[in-house]
Coordinates of all heavy atoms in Angstrom, one line a residue:
M155 N -96.7 165.6 99.6 CA -96.5 167.0 99.4 C -97.3 167.5 98.3 O -97.3 167.0 97.2 CB -95.1 167.3 99.1 CG -94.5 168.5 99.7 SD -93.0 168.9 99.0 CE -92.0 169.0 100.3
K156 N -98.1 168.6 98.5 CA -98.9 169.1 97.4 C -98.2 170.2 96.7 O -97.5 171.0 97.3 CB -100.2 169.7 97.9 CG -101.2 168.7 98.4 CD -102.5 169.4 98.9 CE -103.5 168.4 99.2 NZ -104.8 169.1 99.7
K157 N -98.4 170.3 95.3 CA -97.8 171.4 94.6 C -98.8 172.6 94.6 O -99.9 172.5 94.5 CB -97.6 170.9 93.1 CG -96.4 170.2 92.8 CD -96.2 170.0 91.4 CE -94.9 169.5 91.0 NZ -94.7 169.4 89.7
K158 N -98.2 173.8 94.7 CA -99.0 175.0 94.5 C -99.4 175.1 93.0 O -98.6 175.0 92.2 CB -98.2 176.2 94.9 CG -98.0 176.4 96.4 CD -97.3 177.6 96.6 CE -97.1 177.9 98.1 NZ -96.4 179.2 98.4
L159 N -100.6 175.5 92.9 CA -101.1 175.7 91.5 C -100.8 177.2 91.1 O -100.6 177.5 90.0 CB -102.5 175.4 91.3 CG -102.8 174.0 91.4 CD1 -104.4 173.7 91.2 CD2 -102.1 173.1 90.4
S160 N -101.0 178.1 92.1 CA -100.8 179.5 91.7 C -99.4 179.9 92.4 O -99.1 179.4 93.5 CB -101.9 180.3 92.2 OG -102.1 180.2 93.6
G161 N -98.8 180.9 91.7 CA -97.6 181.4 92.4 C -96.4 180.6 92.2 O -95.3 180.8 92.8
E162 N -96.5 179.5 91.3 CA -95.3 178.7 91.0 C -94.3 179.5 90.2 O -94.7 180.4 89.4 CB -95.7 177.4 90.3 CG -96.3 176.4 91.1 CD -96.5 175.1 90.4 OE1 -95.9 174.9 89.3 OE2 -97.3 174.3 90.8
A163 N -93.1 179.3 90.4 CA -92.0 180.1 89.7 C -92.0 179.7 88.2 O -91.9 178.5 87.9 CB -90.7 179.9 90.3
K164 N -92.2 180.6 87.3 CA -92.0 180.3 85.9 C -90.7 180.8 85.5 O -90.2 181.7 86.1 CB -93.2 181.1 85.1 CG -94.5 180.7 85.4 CD -95.5 181.4 84.5 CE -96.9 180.9 84.8 NZ -97.8 181.8 84.0
P165 N -90.1 180.2 84.4 CA -88.8 180.6 84.0 C -89.0 182.1 83.6 O -89.8 182.5 82.9 CB -88.6 179.7 82.8 CG -89.5 178.6 82.9 CD -90.7 179.1 83.7
K166 N -88.0 182.9 84.0 CA -88.0 184.3 83.8 C -87.4 184.6 82.4 O -86.4 184.0 82.0 CB -87.4 185.1 84.8 CG -88.1 185.2 86.2 CD -87.4 186.3 87.0 CE -88.3 186.5 88.2 NZ -87.9 187.6 89.0
A167 N -88.0 185.5 81.7 CA -87.5 186.0 80.5 C -86.3 186.9 80.8 O -86.3 187.6 81.8 CB -88.5 186.9 79.8
K168 N -85.3 186.8 80.0 CA -84.1 187.6 80.2 C -83.9 188.5 78.9 O -84.2 188.1 77.8 CB -82.9 186.7 80.3 CG -82.8 185.9 81.6 CD -81.5 185.1 81.7 CE -81.5 184.2 82.9 NZ -80.3 183.4 82.9
K169 N -83.4 189.6 79.2 CA -83.1 190.5 78.1 C -82.0 190.0 77.2 O -81.0 189.6 77.6 CB -82.7 191.9 78.6 CG -82.9 193.0 77.6 CD -82.9 194.4 78.2 CE -83.3 195.4 77.2 NZ -83.4 196.8 77.7
V170 N -82.3 190.1 75.9 CA -81.3 189.6 74.9 C -81.1 190.7 73.9 O -82.0 191.5 73.5 CB -81.8 188.3 74.2 CG1 -83.2 188.5 73.5 CG2 -80.7 187.7 73.3
R171 N -79.8 190.8 73.4 CA -79.6 191.8 72.4 C -79.1 191.1 71.1 O -78.2 190.3 71.1 CB -78.4 192.7 72.9 CG -78.0 193.8 72.1 CD -76.9 194.6 72.8 NE -76.1 195.4 71.9 CZ -75.0 195.0 71.4 NH1 -74.5 193.8 71.5 NH2 -74.3 195.8 70.6
F172 N -79.7 191.7 70.0 CA -79.3 191.2 68.7 C -78.7 192.4 68.0 O -79.2 193.5 68.0 CB -80.5 190.7 67.9 CG -81.1 189.4 68.4 CD1 -82.0 189.4 69.4 CD2 -80.7 188.2 67.9 CE1 -82.6 188.3 69.9 CE2 -81.2 187.0 68.3 CZ -82.2 187.0 69.3
S173 N -77.6 192.2 67.3 CA -76.9 193.3 66.5 C -76.3 192.8 65.2 O -75.9 191.6 65.1 CB -75.9 194.0 67.4 OG -74.8 193.2 67.8
L174 N -76.3 193.8 64.3 CA -75.7 193.4 62.9 C -75.0 194.7 62.5 O -75.6 195.8 62.4 CB -76.7 193.0 62.0 CG -76.3 192.7 60.6 CD1 -75.4 191.4 60.6 CD2 -77.4 192.6 59.6
Y175 N -73.8 194.6 62.1 CA -73.0 195.7 61.5 C -73.4 195.7 60.0 O -73.0 194.8 59.3 CB -71.5 195.6 61.7 CG -70.7 196.7 61.1 CD1 -70.8 198.0 61.7 CD2 -69.9 196.5 59.9 CE1 -70.0 199.0 61.1 CE2 -69.2 197.5 59.4 CZ -69.3 198.8 60.0 OH -68.6 199.8 59.4
A176 N -74.1 196.7 59.6 CA -74.5 196.9 58.2 C -74.7 198.4 57.9 O -75.8 198.9 57.7 CB -75.8 196.2 57.9
P177 N -73.5 199.1 57.8 CA -73.7 200.6 57.6 C -74.4 201.1 56.4 O -74.9 202.1 56.4 CB -72.2 201.1 57.7 CG -71.4 199.9 57.4 CD -72.2 198.7 57.8
E178 N -74.4 200.2 55.4 CA -75.0 200.6 54.1 C -76.5 200.3 54.1 O -77.1 200.8 53.2 CB -74.2 199.8 53.0 CG -74.6 198.4 52.9 CD -74.0 197.6 54.1 OE1 -73.1 197.9 54.7 OE2 -74.5 196.4 54.2
A179 N -77.0 199.6 55.0 CA -78.4 199.2 55.0 C -79.3 200.4 55.2 O -79.1 201.3 56.0 CB -78.6 198.1 56.0
E180 N -80.5 200.3 54.6 CA -81.6 201.3 54.8 C -82.5 200.9 56.0 O -83.0 201.6 56.7 CB -82.4 201.4 53.5 CG -81.6 202.0 52.4 CD -81.3 203.5 52.5 OE1 -82.1 204.2 53.1 OE2 -80.1 203.9 52.2
K181 N -82.9 199.5 56.0 CA -83.7 199.0 56.9 C -83.3 197.6 57.4 O -82.9 196.8 56.5 CB -85.2 198.9 56.5 CG -85.9 200.2 56.2 CD -87.3 200.0 55.8 CE -88.0 201.3 55.5 NZ -89.4 201.1 55.0
V182 N -83.3 197.3 58.7 CA -82.9 195.9 59.1 C -84.0 195.5 60.1 O -84.4 196.3 61.0 CB -81.6 195.9 59.8 CG1 -81.2 194.6 60.3 CG2 -80.5 196.3 58.9
F183 N -84.5 194.3 60.0 CA -85.5 193.6 60.8 C -84.9 192.4 61.3 O -84.1 191.8 60.7 CB -86.8 193.4 60.1 CG -87.5 194.7 59.7 CD1 -87.3 195.3 58.4 CD2 -88.5 195.2 60.5 CE1 -87.9 196.4 58.1 CE2 -89.1 196.4 60.1 CZ -88.8 197.1 58.9
L184 N -85.4 191.9 62.5 CA -85.1 190.6 62.9 C -86.3 189.7 62.9 O -87.5 190.2 63.3 CB -84.7 190.7 64.5 CG -84.3 189.5 65.2 CD1 -83.1 188.9 64.6 CD2 -84.1 189.8 66.7
A185 N -86.1 188.6 62.2 CA -87.3 187.6 62.2 C -86.8 186.3 62.7 O -85.6 185.9 62.5 CB -87.6 187.4 60.7
G186 N -87.7 185.6 63.4 CA -87.4 184.3 63.9 C -88.7 183.6 64.5 O -89.7 184.1 64.4
D187 N -88.4 182.4 65.1 CA -89.6 181.7 65.6 C -90.2 182.4 66.8 O -91.3 182.1 67.2 CB -89.3 180.3 65.8 CG -88.0 180.0 66.6 OD1 -87.4 180.9 67.2 OD2 -87.4 178.9 66.5
F188 N -89.5 183.4 67.4 CA -90.1 184.1 68.6 C -91.1 185.2 68.1 O -91.8 185.8 68.8 CB -89.0 184.9 69.3 CG -87.8 185.4 68.5 CD1 -88.0 186.6 67.9 CD2 -86.6 184.8 68.4 CE1 -87.1 187.1 67.1 CE2 -85.6 185.3 67.6 CZ -85.8 186.5 67.0
N189 N -91.2 185.5 66.7 CA -92.1 186.5 66.3 C -92.8 185.9 65.0 O -93.2 186.7 64.1 CB -91.5 187.9 66.1 CG -90.6 188.0 64.8 OD1 -90.0 186.9 64.4 ND2 -90.2 189.1 64.4
N190 N -92.9 184.6 64.8 CA -93.5 184.0 63.7 C -92.9 184.4 62.3 O -93.5 184.5 61.4 CB -95.1 184.2 63.7 CG -95.8 183.4 64.7 OD1 -95.4 182.3 64.9 ND2 -96.9 184.0 65.2
W191 N -91.6 184.6 62.4 CA -90.8 185.0 61.2 C -91.4 186.2 60.5 O -91.3 186.3 59.3 CB -90.7 183.8 60.3 CG -89.8 182.7 60.8 CD1 -90.3 181.6 61.6 CD2 -88.4 182.7 60.9 NE1 -89.2 180.9 62.0 CE2 -88.0 181.6 61.7 CE3 -87.4 183.5 60.3 CZ2 -86.7 181.2 61.7 CZ3 -86.1 183.1 60.5 CH2 -85.7 182.0 61.3
G192 N -92.0 187.1 61.3 CA -92.5 188.4 60.7 C -91.3 189.2 60.3 O -90.5 189.6 61.1
I193 N -91.3 189.5 59.0 CA -90.1 190.3 58.4 C -90.2 191.8 58.6 O -89.3 192.6 58.2 CB -89.9 190.0 57.0 CG1 -91.1 190.2 56.1 CG2 -89.4 188.4 56.8 CD1 -90.9 190.2 54.7
D194 N -91.4 192.2 59.2 CA -91.5 193.7 59.3 C -92.0 194.1 60.7 O -92.4 195.3 60.9 CB -92.4 194.2 58.2 CG -93.8 193.6 58.3 OD1 -94.1 192.8 59.2 OD2 -94.6 194.0 57.5
N195 N -92.0 193.3 61.7 CA -92.6 193.7 63.0 C -91.5 193.8 64.1 O -91.9 194.1 65.2 CB -93.7 192.8 63.4 CG -93.2 191.3 63.7 OD1 -92.1 191.0 63.7 ND2 -94.3 190.4 63.8
L196 N -90.2 193.6 63.8 CA -89.2 193.7 64.8 C -88.0 194.5 64.2 O -87.0 194.0 63.8 CB -88.8 192.4 65.3 CG -88.0 192.3 66.6 CD1 -88.6 193.1 67.7 CD2 -87.9 190.9 67.1
P197 N -88.2 195.8 64.1 CA -87.1 196.6 63.5 C -85.9 196.8 64.4 O -86.1 196.9 65.6 CB -87.8 198.0 63.2 CG -88.9 198.0 64.2 CD -89.4 196.6 64.4
L198 N -84.7 196.9 63.8 CA -83.6 197.3 64.6 C -83.3 198.8 64.4 O -83.6 199.4 63.4 CB -82.3 196.4 64.1 CG -82.3 195.0 64.7 CD1 -83.4 194.1 64.1 CD2 -81.0 194.4 64.4
N199 N -82.6 199.4 65.4 CA -82.2 200.8 65.3 C -80.7 200.8 65.0 O -79.9 200.1 65.5 CB -82.5 201.4 66.7 CG -83.9 201.4 66.9 OD1 -84.8 201.8 66.1 ND2 -84.3 201.0 68.2
K200 N -80.4 201.9 64.1 CA -79.0 202.0 63.7 C -78.3 203.0 64.6 O -78.8 204.1 64.8 CB -79.0 202.4 62.3 CG -77.6 202.5 61.5 CD -77.8 202.9 60.1 CE -76.6 203.0 59.4 NZ -76.8 203.4 57.9
D201 N -77.1 202.7 65.0 CA -76.2 203.7 65.7 C -75.4 204.5 64.7 O -75.4 204.2 63.5 CB -75.4 203.1 66.9 CG -74.3 202.1 66.3 OD1 -73.9 202.1 65.1 OD2 -73.8 201.4 67.2
K202 N -74.6 205.4 65.2 CA -73.8 206.3 64.4 C -72.7 205.6 63.6 O -72.2 206.0 62.6 CB -73.2 207.5 65.2 CG -74.2 208.5 65.7 CD -73.7 209.5 66.5 CE -74.8 210.4 67.1 NZ -74.2 211.4 68.0
K203 N -72.3 204.4 64.2 CA -71.2 203.6 63.5 C -71.7 202.6 62.5 O -70.9 201.8 62.0 CB -70.4 203.0 64.7 CG -69.7 204.0 65.6 CD -68.9 203.3 66.6 CE -68.2 204.3 67.5 NZ -67.4 203.7 68.5
G204 N -73.0 202.4 62.4 CA -73.5 201.5 61.4 C -73.9 200.2 61.9 O -74.2 199.2 61.2
T205 N -74.0 200.0 63.3 CA -74.5 198.8 63.8 C -75.9 198.9 64.2 O -76.4 199.9 64.7 CB -73.7 198.5 65.1 OG1 -72.3 198.3 64.8 CG2 -74.2 197.2 65.8
W206 N -76.7 197.9 63.7 CA -78.1 197.8 64.0 C -78.5 197.0 65.2 O -77.7 195.9 65.4 CB -78.9 197.3 62.8 CG -78.8 198.1 61.5 CD1 -77.7 198.2 60.7 CD2 -79.8 199.0 61.1 NE1 -77.9 199.1 59.7 CE2 -79.3 199.6 59.9 CE3 -81.1 199.3 61.5 CZ2 -79.9 200.5 59.1 CZ3 -81.8 200.3 60.6 CH2 -81.2 200.8 59.5
E207 N -79.3 197.4 66.1 CA -79.5 196.7 67.4 C -81.0 196.7 67.7 O -81.7 197.6 67.5 CB -78.8 197.3 68.5 CG -77.3 197.4 68.4 CD -76.6 198.0 69.6 OE1 -77.3 198.7 70.4 OE2 -75.4 197.9 69.7
A208 N -81.3 195.6 68.4 CA -82.6 195.4 69.1 C -82.4 194.7 70.4 O -81.6 193.7 70.4 CB -83.6 194.8 68.2
S209 N -83.1 195.1 71.5 CA -83.0 194.3 72.7 C -84.5 194.2 73.2 O -85.3 195.0 73.1 CB -82.3 195.1 73.8 OG -80.9 195.3 73.4
F210 N -84.7 192.9 73.7 CA -86.0 192.6 74.2 C -85.8 191.3 75.1 O -84.8 190.6 75.1 CB -87.1 192.4 73.1 CG -86.6 191.4 72.1 CD1 -87.0 190.0 72.2 CD2 -85.9 191.8 71.0 CE1 -86.7 189.1 71.2 CE2 -85.5 190.9 70.0 CZ -85.9 189.6 70.1
A211 N -86.9 191.0 75.8 CA -86.9 189.9 76.7 C -87.3 188.6 76.0 O -88.4 188.6 75.3 CB -87.7 190.2 78.0
L212 N -86.7 187.4 76.3 CA -87.1 186.2 75.8 C -87.1 185.2 77.0 O -86.1 185.2 77.8 CB -86.2 185.6 74.7 CG -86.4 186.2 73.3 CD1 -85.3 185.6 72.4 CD2 -87.8 185.9 72.8
P213 N -88.0 184.3 77.1 CA -87.9 183.2 78.1 C -86.9 182.2 77.7 O -86.5 182.2 76.6 CB -89.4 182.6 78.1 CG -90.0 183.0 76.8 CD -89.3 184.3 76.4
P214 N -86.4 181.4 78.6 CA -85.4 180.4 78.3 C -85.9 179.5 77.1 O -87.2 179.2 77.0 CB -85.3 179.6 79.6 CG -85.7 180.4 80.7 CD -86.8 181.4 80.1
G215 N -85.0 179.1 76.3 CA -85.4 178.3 75.1 C -84.4 178.3 74.0 O -83.4 179.1 74.1
R216 N -84.7 177.7 73.0 CA -83.9 177.7 71.7 C -84.6 178.4 70.6 O -85.8 178.1 70.4 CB -83.6 176.2 71.4 CG -82.7 176.0 70.1 CD -82.7 174.5 69.8 NE -82.0 174.3 68.5 CZ -82.5 174.5 67.3 NH1 -83.6 175.0 67.1 NH2 -81.6 174.3 66.3
Y217 N -84.0 179.4 70.1 CA -84.6 180.2 69.0 C -83.8 180.2 67.7 O -82.6 180.4 67.7 CB -84.8 181.7 69.6 CG -85.7 181.7 70.8 CD1 -85.0 181.8 72.1 CD2 -87.0 181.8 70.7 CE1 -85.7 181.8 73.2 CE2 -87.8 181.7 72.0 CZ -87.1 181.8 73.2 OH -87.9 181.8 74.3
E218 N -84.6 180.1 66.6 CA -83.9 180.3 65.3 C -84.3 181.6 64.8 O -85.4 182.1 65.0 CB -84.4 179.1 64.4 CG -83.9 177.8 64.7 CD -84.3 176.7 63.8 OE1 -84.6 177.0 62.6 OE2 -84.4 175.6 64.2
Y219 N -83.3 182.3 64.1 CA -83.6 183.6 63.6 C -82.7 183.9 62.4 O -81.7 183.3 62.2 CB -83.4 184.6 64.7 CG -82.0 184.7 65.1 CD1 -81.1 185.8 64.7 CD2 -81.5 183.9 66.0 CE1 -79.8 185.8 65.0 CE2 -80.1 184.0 66.4 CZ -79.3 184.9 65.9 OH -77.9 185.0 66.2
R220 N -83.1 185.1 61.7 CA -82.2 185.7 60.7 C -82.5 187.1 60.7 O -83.5 187.6 61.1 CB -82.4 185.0 59.4 CG -82.0 183.6 59.3 CD -82.0 183.0 57.9 NE -80.7 183.4 57.2 CZ -80.5 183.3 56.0 NH1 -81.5 182.8 55.1 NH2 -79.4 183.6 55.4
F221 N -81.6 187.9 60.0 CA -81.9 189.3 59.8 C -82.4 189.5 58.4 O -82.1 188.8 57.4 CB -80.6 190.1 60.0 CG -80.0 190.1 61.3 CD1 -78.8 189.4 61.6 CD2 -80.6 190.9 62.3 CE1 -78.3 189.4 62.9 CE2 -80.0 190.9 63.6 CZ -78.9 190.2 63.8
W222 N -83.4 190.5 58.2 CA -84.0 190.8 57.0 C -83.4 192.2 56.7 O -83.9 193.2 57.3 CB -85.5 190.7 57.1 CG -86.3 191.0 55.9 CD1 -87.1 192.1 55.7 CD2 -86.5 190.2 54.7 NE1 -87.7 192.0 54.5 CE2 -87.4 190.8 53.8 CE3 -85.9 189.0 54.3 CZ2 -87.7 190.4 52.6 CZ3 -86.3 188.4 53.1 CH2 -87.2 189.1 52.3
V223 N -82.5 192.3 55.8 CA -81.8 193.5 55.5 C -82.2 194.0 54.0 O -81.8 193.4 53.1 CB -80.3 193.4 55.6 CG1 -79.6 194.7 55.3 CG2 -79.9 192.8 56.9
D224 N -82.9 195.1 54.0 CA -83.3 195.7 52.7 C -83.9 194.6 51.8 O -83.7 194.6 50.6 CB -82.2 196.4 52.1 CG -81.6 197.6 52.8 OD1 -82.5 198.2 53.7 OD2 -80.5 198.0 52.7
G225 N -84.7 193.7 52.3 CA -85.4 192.7 51.5 C -84.6 191.5 51.2 O -85.0 190.7 50.4
V226 N -83.5 191.3 51.9 CA -82.6 190.1 51.7 C -82.2 189.5 53.0 O -81.9 190.2 53.9 CB -81.3 190.5 50.9 CG1 -80.4 189.3 50.7 CG2 -81.6 191.1 49.6
W227 N -82.4 188.1 53.1 CA -82.0 187.4 54.4 C -80.5 187.5 54.6 O -79.6 187.4 53.6 CB -82.4 185.9 54.2 CG -83.8 185.7 54.3 CD1 -84.6 185.2 53.4 CD2 -84.7 186.0 55.5 NE1 -86.0 185.2 53.8 CE2 -86.0 185.6 55.1 CE3 -84.4 186.5 56.8 CZ2 -87.1 185.7 56.0 CZ3 -85.6 186.6 57.6 CH2 -86.8 186.2 57.3
H228 N -80.1 187.8 55.8 CA -78.7 187.8 56.2 C -78.5 186.9 57.5 O -79.3 187.0 58.4 CB -78.1 189.2 56.5 CG -77.9 190.0 55.2 ND1 -76.6 190.1 54.7 CD2 -78.7 190.6 54.4 CE1 -76.7 190.9 53.6 NE2 -78.0 191.2 53.4
D229 N -77.3 186.3 57.6 CA -77.0 185.6 58.8 C -76.4 186.5 59.8 O -75.9 187.6 59.5 CB -76.0 184.5 58.5 CG -76.5 183.3 57.7 OD1 -77.7 183.1 57.7 OD2 -75.8 182.8 56.9
D230 N -76.4 186.1 61.0 CA -75.8 186.8 62.2 C -74.4 186.3 62.2 O -74.1 185.1 62.6 CB -76.5 186.5 63.5 CG -75.9 187.2 64.6 OD1 -74.8 187.8 64.5 OD2 -76.5 187.2 65.7
P231 N -73.3 187.1 61.9 CA -71.9 186.6 61.9 C -71.5 186.2 63.2 O -70.5 185.4 63.4 CB -71.1 187.8 61.4 CG -72.0 188.9 61.4 CD -73.4 188.5 61.4
S232 N -72.2 186.7 64.3 CA -71.8 186.3 65.7 C -72.5 185.0 66.2 O -72.2 184.6 67.3 CB -72.0 187.5 66.7 OG -73.4 187.7 66.8
A233 N -73.3 184.4 65.4 CA -74.1 183.3 65.9 C -73.1 182.1 66.1 O -72.3 181.8 65.2 CB -75.1 182.9 64.8
L234 N -73.3 181.4 67.2 CA -72.4 180.3 67.5 C -72.9 179.0 66.9 O -72.1 178.0 66.7 CB -72.2 180.1 69.0 CG -71.7 181.3 69.7 CD1 -71.7 181.1 71.2 CD2 -70.2 181.7 69.3
E235 N -74.1 179.0 66.6 CA -74.8 177.8 66.0 C -75.7 178.1 64.8 O -76.3 179.1 64.9 CB -75.5 177.0 67.1 CG -76.1 175.7 66.7 CD -76.9 175.0 67.8 OE1 -76.7 175.4 69.0 OE2 -77.7 174.2 67.5
R236 N -75.7 177.2 63.8 CA -76.7 177.4 62.7 C -77.2 176.0 62.4 O -76.6 175.0 62.6 CB -75.9 178.0 61.5 CG -75.4 179.4 61.6 CD -74.7 179.9 60.3 NE -74.5 181.3 60.4 CZ -73.4 181.9 61.0 NH1 -72.6 181.1 61.5 NH2 -73.3 183.2 61.0
V237 N -78.5 176.1 61.8 CA -79.1 174.9 61.4 C -79.7 175.1 60.0 O -80.1 176.2 59.6 CB -80.3 174.4 62.3 CG1 -79.7 174.0 63.7 CG2 -81.3 175.5 62.5
E238 N -79.8 174.0 59.2 CA -80.3 174.1 57.9 C -81.8 174.4 58.0 O -82.5 174.0 58.9 CB -80.2 172.8 57.2 CG -78.8 172.5 56.6 CD -78.7 171.2 55.7 OE1 -79.7 171.1 55.0 OE2 -77.9 170.5 56.0
N239 N -82.3 175.2 57.0 CA -83.8 175.5 56.9 C -84.3 174.9 55.7 O -83.5 174.5 54.8 CB -84.0 177.0 57.1 CG -83.5 177.8 56.0 OD1 -83.4 177.4 54.9 ND2 -83.1 179.0 56.3
P240 N -85.6 174.8 55.4 CA -86.2 174.2 54.3 C -86.0 175.0 53.0 O -86.4 174.6 51.9 CB -87.7 174.1 54.6 CG -87.9 174.9 55.8 CD -86.6 175.2 56.4
F241 N -85.3 176.1 53.1 CA -85.2 177.1 51.9 C -83.8 177.0 51.3 O -83.4 177.8 50.5 CB -85.6 178.5 52.2 CG -86.9 178.6 52.9 CD1 -87.0 178.8 54.2 CD2 -88.0 178.5 52.1 CE1 -88.3 178.9 54.8 CE2 -89.3 178.6 52.6 CZ -89.4 178.8 54.0
G242 N -82.9 176.0 51.8 CA -81.6 175.8 51.1 C -80.6 176.8 51.8 O -79.4 176.8 51.3
S243 N -80.9 177.4 52.8 CA -79.9 178.2 53.6 C -79.9 177.7 55.0 O -80.4 176.7 55.4 CB -80.2 179.7 53.4 OG -81.5 180.0 53.9
E244 N -79.4 178.6 55.9 CA -79.3 178.3 57.3 C -79.9 179.3 58.2 O -79.9 180.5 57.8 CB -77.9 178.0 57.8 CG -77.2 176.9 57.1 CD -75.7 176.7 57.6 OE1 -75.0 177.8 57.9 OE2 -75.3 175.5 57.7
N245 N -80.5 178.9 59.3 CA -81.0 179.8 60.3 C -79.9 179.8 61.4 O -79.2 178.8 61.7 CB -82.3 179.4 60.9 CG -83.4 179.4 59.9 OD1 -83.4 180.1 58.9 ND2 -84.4 178.6 60.3
C246 N -79.8 181.0 62.0 CA -78.9 181.2 63.2 C -79.7 180.7 64.4 O -80.9 180.7 64.4 CB -78.5 182.7 63.4 SG -77.7 183.2 61.8
V247 N -79.0 180.3 65.4 CA -79.6 179.8 66.7 C -79.1 180.5 67.9 O -77.9 180.8 67.9 CB -79.3 178.3 66.8 CG1 -79.9 177.7 68.2 CG2 -79.9 177.5 65.7
R248 N -80.0 181.0 68.7 CA -79.7 181.6 70.0 C -80.3 180.8 71.1 O -81.5 180.5 71.0 CB -80.2 183.0 70.0 CG -80.0 183.8 71.3 CD -78.6 184.4 71.5 NE -78.1 185.2 70.4 CZ -78.1 186.5 70.5 NH1 -78.6 187.2 71.5 NH2 -77.6 187.2 69.5
I249 N -79.5 180.3 72.1 CA -80.1 179.6 73.2 C -80.1 180.5 74.4 O -79.0 181.0 74.8 CB -79.2 178.3 73.5 CG1 -79.3 177.4 72.2 CG2 -79.8 177.6 74.7 CD1 -78.7 176.1 72.3
M250 N -81.3 180.6 75.1 CA -81.4 181.4 76.2 C -81.6 180.5 77.4 O -82.5 179.6 77.3 CB -82.7 182.3 76.2 CG -82.7 183.2 75.0 SD -81.4 184.6 75.3 CE -82.1 185.4 76.7
S251 N -80.7 180.6 78.4 CA -80.8 179.7 79.6 C -81.5 180.4 80.8 O -81.6 181.6 80.8 CB -79.5 179.1 79.9 OG -78.6 180.2 80.2

């Protein structure tokens, strides 16, 4: 049986939502291995109740991330898994299936 080279099914990206309740924050960004830990290229939008959110598509995989809030790293309180990072703190983990 020959495999098709073109038109093979690739894992589809699924929309994922990241949110953080931080009503006092001026600016919140999401940084992780999905954006090379860029601290200023993935801004979150604030709703009227003080929750910051961003939604975008990610392919299946394991992703480490943190929030960058007014120049300070913050964990995601809703993260189910965390791993140590080389800076003496922890990264949050999101697994997309």
Side-chain angles (χ1 to χ4, degrees):
M155 213 193 237
K156 288 186 178 179
K157 276 190 172 182
K158 281 186 181 178
L159 293 178
S160 62
E162 284 187 18
K164 291 182 180 177
K166 284 194 172 187
K168 291 182 183 175
K169 196 164 192 178
V170 60
R171 182 175 158 274
F172 290 86
S173 65
L174 178 71
Y175 180 72
E178 71 292 342
E180 296 288 324
K181 291 182 181 179
V182 177
F183 293 89
L184 180 65
D187 47 19
F188 42 76
N189 71 343
N190 282 329
W191 292 94
I193 58 170
D194 59 1
N195 63 13
L196 195 49
L198 279 71
N199 297 310
K200 186 178 182 181
D201 70 14
K202 292 177 183 176
K203 295 181 180 178
T205 298
W206 296 79
E207 296 181 346
S209 294
F210 54 95
L212 280 176
R216 180 186 176 280
Y217 299 96
E218 294 184 21
Y219 69 96
R220 294 190 83 193
F221 294 108
W222 183 248
V223 181
D224 296 334
V226 179
W227 289 114
H228 283 264
D229 291 331
D230 181 350
S232 67
L234 300 177
E235 186 181 339
R236 291 183 171 83
V237 293
E238 284 187 42
N239 65 32
F241 306 105
S243 57
E244 293 181 327
N245 294 338
C246 301
V247 176
R248 175 80 55 101
I249 297 183
M250 298 293 296
S251 54

